[in-house]
Amino acid sequence: MNILLVYAHPEPRSLNGSLKAFTIKRLEAAGHSVQISDLYAMNWKAQLDADDSIQRRPGERFDPSLDSRHAYENGLQSLDIVREQEKLLWADAVILQFPLWWFSMPAILKGWVERVYAYGFAYGVGEHSDSHWGDRYGEGTLAGKRAMLVVTAGGWEPHYSPRGINGPIDDLLFPIHHGILYYPGFDILPPFVVYRTGKIDETRYAAICEQLGKRLDELFTTAPIPFRPQNAGAYEIPALTLRPEIAPGRTGFGVHVGDDA
Ligand code: FAD
């Protein structure tokens, strides 16, 4: 199978650098084809701006969405964006690997999402009307592909538990899982999170690699998180709120995960 690893860490000799090398070796040994977007090594341009299209809409002010649509529809996107979109279309599975920085992804990776996820490619896909709010959340350009996060965090696992001070890890990762990955159609696998990175010796590193290796071996058989698809009847249209009979009385991110979780 084809696997794209999008990787965001500035130092090859870091824990993330070691885990990246381990991941590539493991996947290739299993017979997969792997492409890597090593964002720092590529000197990836993180900021979305008017330079993202080769030719702007004449006479118009820069509008991030409309300029993105114009460039995407007319083959005017900058080449670095096109290359990443091609990698996404090529991939059967995508892994985003990064250290947790300020409870989210590093800015360079957020910039990759903002620029590569063009209007017409990742959003603004499908019919938009009062009865159908686009092909998204379970449908879209990247439907049928799998995605998984590999995240390292300085905090301890209990700090990210349901009553932990940092908030539950599933909640912190929800905007990435649901908003960034499920939105354009990916099936999302449970994340692989390494906690307490300040306390890693050779023994623990070996155990982490063993656990990560198992997750990589099971990349195409692990059950995805059962997020509720937008267009399968669970949501009232056009409000896009969950029907009252589904998860009655419950609110919060967790209600968007189906009962088979
Ligand atoms: P490194 O620092 O490179 O390594 C960690 C440990 O692993 C070291 O002890 C190293 O010796 C060991 N190691 C590396 N490679 C190997 C190997 N091959 N074999 C054996 N041992 C090895 N944490 C949070 O929990 N929440 C946050 O919101 C958060 N925000 C942050 C914001 C910023 C700007 C920064 C800089 C850090 C933040 N952190 C946060 C901490 C951050 O998540 C960790 O520093 C990061 O995940 C560690 O990953 P690394 O690859 O940089 O590890």
Side-chain angles (χ1 to χ4, degrees), residues 7 9-11 13-19 97-104 151-156 159-160 166 194-206 209:
Y7 167 80
H9 196 291
E11 171 55 62
R13 290 163 300 171
S14 61
L15 173 64
N16 270 274
S18 296
L19 294 177
Q97 188 197 328
F98 57 91
L100 195 68
W101 282 356
W102 289 110
F103 304 100
S104 188
V151 184
T152 63
W156 297 20
H159 303 174
Y160 291 96
N166 291 342
V194 178
Y195 296 100
R196 207 179 177 184
T197 52
K199 280 269 180 230
I200 297 189
D201 56 17
E202 292 304 326
T203 308
R204 189 164 169 232
Y205 181 75
C209 287

Side-chain angles (χ1 to χ4, degrees), residues 41-167:
M42 291 157 67
N43 199 20
W44 177 259
K45 169 179 170 285
Q47 76 278 17
L48 179 163
D49 60 25
D51 292 336
D52 290 340
S53 59
I54 296 162
Q55 198 185 326
R56 294 272 323 282
R57 295 175 304 143
E60 301 285 344
R61 75 172 179 93
F62 174 63
D63 180 307
S65 289
L66 296 182
D67 278 61
S68 172
R69 179 167 73 174
H70 179 75
Y72 180 73
E73 284 177 353
N74 296 289
L76 296 171
Q77 299 181 109
S78 90
L79 200 55
D80 59 345
I81 294 176
V82 175
R83 280 202 206 101
E84 296 306 301
Q85 290 169 347
E86 286 172 354
K87 288 183 200 170
L88 282 169
L89 294 173
W90 166 87
D92 299 300
V94 176
I95 296 171
L96 304 186
Q97 188 197 328
F98 57 91
L100 195 68
W101 282 356
W102 289 110
F103 304 100
S104 188
M105 53 174 63
I108 198 168
L109 179 53
K110 181 69 171 6
W112 179 88
V113 175
E114 290 174 12
R115 297 184 60 232
V116 174
Y117 270 31
Y119 189 145
F121 180 78
Y123 68 105
V125 176
E127 176 198 334
H128 273 73
S129 66
D130 273 358
S131 59
H132 186 97
W133 209 271
D135 296 346
R136 56 176 205 168
Y137 292 120
E139 298 176 316
T141 303
L142 302 173
K145 302 173 186 291
R146 300 183 143 223
M148 181 172 99
L149 303 184
V150 173
V151 184
T152 63
W156 297 20
E157 188 164 3
H159 303 174
Y160 291 96
S161 65
R163 286 165 60 85
I165 181 106
N166 291 342

Side-chain angles (χ1 to χ4, degrees), residues 12-35:
R13 290 163 300 171
S14 61
L15 173 64
N16 270 274
S18 296
L19 294 177
K20 178 191 75 155
F22 171 84
T23 296
I24 295 166
K25 209 170 151 194
R26 183 76 167 223
L27 292 172
E28 287 182 343
H32 300 299
S33 299
V34 184
Q35 289 199 68

